[in-house]
Amino acid sequence: MKAAAEHYKGRKILVTGSAGFIGSSLVKALSRVDCTLVCCNRNGESPETSNLTKAHMMTHKMDIRNPSIWDDILEGVDVVFHFAAQTSAGFANQHPTADLDVNVAPITRFLETCQHKGIRPDMVFPGTVTEAGLTRTFPVDESIRDNPITIYDINKLSAENYLSYYAGQLGGRSVTLRLANIYGPGPKSGRPDRGILNMMVMRALEGKPLTVYGDGNFVRDYLFIDDAIKAFLLAGARLNKTSGRHYVVGSGVGHTIREMIKTVQELTTELSGKRVALNHIATPSDLSPIETRNFVADTTRLRADSGWRPQVSLEEGVSRTITFFLERQQKP
């Protein structure tokens, strides 16, 4: 990671969605580097940073749907981490055009702006493992044929393909990290169908029962936020190898949904003294088929190309997440 941090030293780095879950964590990591950090989010919120801040930081209020947004903020930028997004699959299915406006149109405008201005900043982009569709066997690597079954995943794949074009035909450099289930300390998700593990932690700390659909035996890959941030930083620092590619990113370890929730239940009792019930309930009839998949990431390619390794186990990550939200509850 020291070598990766050295890559960003002296550079101008733009982070869109800087107040979101992943964006805010990336800003904290980059704030320790001697760079210029441009933080953009829809509320103009200044990011939380540590006492170790070395970066020269600027914050801008932005609406990523603004057709001229890149004209205003790309000047002199070396690297873009583009996290501003609409993240709900349910919302996307109900509002396809609105999702397109947030998740695809800004990417096409980025390409246009770069062509008109004659600039080629690096682009690091978050995709999702659900772009591949209904994976049944695992582990899953990059060779699987993409077959998205939601509007959200169709649009994420479209954005990824535009960035592949940027890298392959326009002389730019880009990389997409298709993320598994990310969790850990950070701001609350604005969508009820995102950040499920964090949501379970918050429910447990409030003394509310935890719920599992059916038997809860579908397998998921849960990746701690710190490991995800390291993946973004390393992939962006190794664009000589990673550019033009997408990578499947997860812990490489599978847990059933029931195992995950049971872990939250037990560690909440251990760390807070609160005992919460775990209830099995009927699976909703309108549950998306994408929720019935089994998934574990094979990260062989990312490890080889970037040197990244996930380090945080589910138990350690859940403990750190509970401690984070517990401390927030106790603050006056």
Side-chain angles (χ1 to χ4, degrees):
M1 283 302 299
K2 289 183 179 179
E6 192 67 22
H7 171 81
Y8 298 102
K9 186 176 180 179
R11 300 193 175 214
K12 187 174 183 180
I13 303 164
L14 170 66
V15 182
T16 71
S18 61
F21 180 50
I22 300 176
S24 61
S25 295
L26 183 82
V27 166
K28 286 182 181 179
L30 285 172
S31 69
R32 302 184 183 99
V33 178
D34 184 10
C35 64
T36 299
L37 196 51
V38 183
C39 304
C40 297
N41 59 72
R42 61 187 175 187
N43 296 319
E45 298 175 7
S46 297
E48 294 182 14
T49 56
S50 71
N51 295 330
L52 301 175
T53 299
K54 295 181 179 179
H56 173 61
M57 303 184 68
M58 298 176 281
T59 302
H60 295 283
K61 184 177 181 179
M62 56 162 278
D63 183 343
I64 199 62
R65 297 168 297 182
N66 182 345
S68 64
I69 186 61
W70 299 112
D71 290 334
D72 300 332
I73 62 176
L74 271 185
E75 188 68 35
V77 167
D78 298 298
V79 186
V80 179
F81 289 91
H82 181 51
F83 295 126
Q86 190 293 115
T87 59
S88 170
F91 177 90
N93 283 343
Q94 295 175 10
H95 307 281
T97 302
D99 188 75
L100 187 80
D101 288 343
V102 176
N103 285 341
V104 181
I107 298 297
T108 62
R109 290 171 181 146
F110 171 79
L111 268 60
E112 286 183 342
T113 301
C114 290
Q115 288 178 284
H116 292 160
K117 290 181 172 289
I119 58 175
R120 296 295 185 269
D122 295 339
M123 169 70 84
V124 185
F125 182 72
T128 170
V129 295
T130 52
E131 289 172 53
L134 295 176
T135 52
R136 297 300 186 189
T137 59
F138 53 83
V140 175
D141 65 14
E142 294 80 9
S143 66
I144 191 169
R145 177 179 176 272
D146 293 325
N147 186 26
I149 66 165
T150 72
I151 295 295
Y152 174 75
D153 293 316
I154 290 170
N155 285 339
K156 290 295 281 187
L157 183 58
S158 295
E160 181 182 306
N161 286 336
Y162 276 115
L163 290 175
S164 295
Y165 175 80
Y166 176 68
Q169 303 300 320
L170 298 183
R173 300 196 303 177
S174 70
V175 61
T176 298
L177 301 187
R178 295 189 183 182
L179 302 174
N181 298 68
I182 310 298
Y183 73 99
K188 181 180 178 181
S189 173
R191 296 291 185 182
D193 57 345
R194 307 297 290 184
I196 300 300
L197 194 157
N198 277 21
M199 184 189 305
M200 290 295 173
V201 168
M202 288 185 279
R203 284 183 62 88
L205 291 175
E206 292 169 358
K208 298 178 180 178
L210 307 181
T211 56
V212 183
Y213 291 152
D215 57 19
N217 282 338
F218 294 118
V219 176
R220 295 290 190 272
D221 188 325
Y222 299 97
L223 182 67
F224 190 63
I225 183 64
D226 289 8
D227 284 333
I229 295 305
K230 290 175 184 176
F232 279 108
L233 292 174
L234 285 166
R238 303 285 190 270
L239 280 166
N240 58 320
K241 290 186 177 181
T242 63
S243 182
R245 288 187 158 189
H246 73 267
Y247 294 88
V248 175
V249 187
S251 70
V253 179
H255 296 274
T256 67
I257 295 172
R258 186 182 188 282
E259 287 172 347
M260 177 273 286
I261 296 177
K262 188 72 174 174
T263 300
V264 171
Q265 180 192 38
E266 293 173 351
L267 289 175
T268 297
T269 300
E270 178 183 326
L271 295 171
S272 74
K274 294 185 178 181
R275 297 184 179 275
V276 294
L278 194 163
N279 300 329
H280 290 262
I281 62 176
T283 302
S285 58
D286 61 348
L287 188 70
S288 171
I290 199 66
E291 302 300 337
T292 68
R293 75 197 188 284
N294 292 305
F295 180 87
V296 179
D298 179 344
T299 61
T300 301
R301 181 193 280 185
L302 182 60
R303 290 169 183 245
D305 288 354
S306 73
W308 175 78
R309 298 286 187 279
Q311 296 178 317
V312 181
S313 69
L314 180 66
E315 292 74 15
E316 179 186 348
V318 170
S319 292
R320 288 165 64 175
T321 305
I322 292 171
T323 300
F324 171 81
F325 286 113
L326 194 59
E327 290 174 348
R328 284 207 162 186
Q329 280 186 354
Q330 294 169 348
K331 285 184 179 180

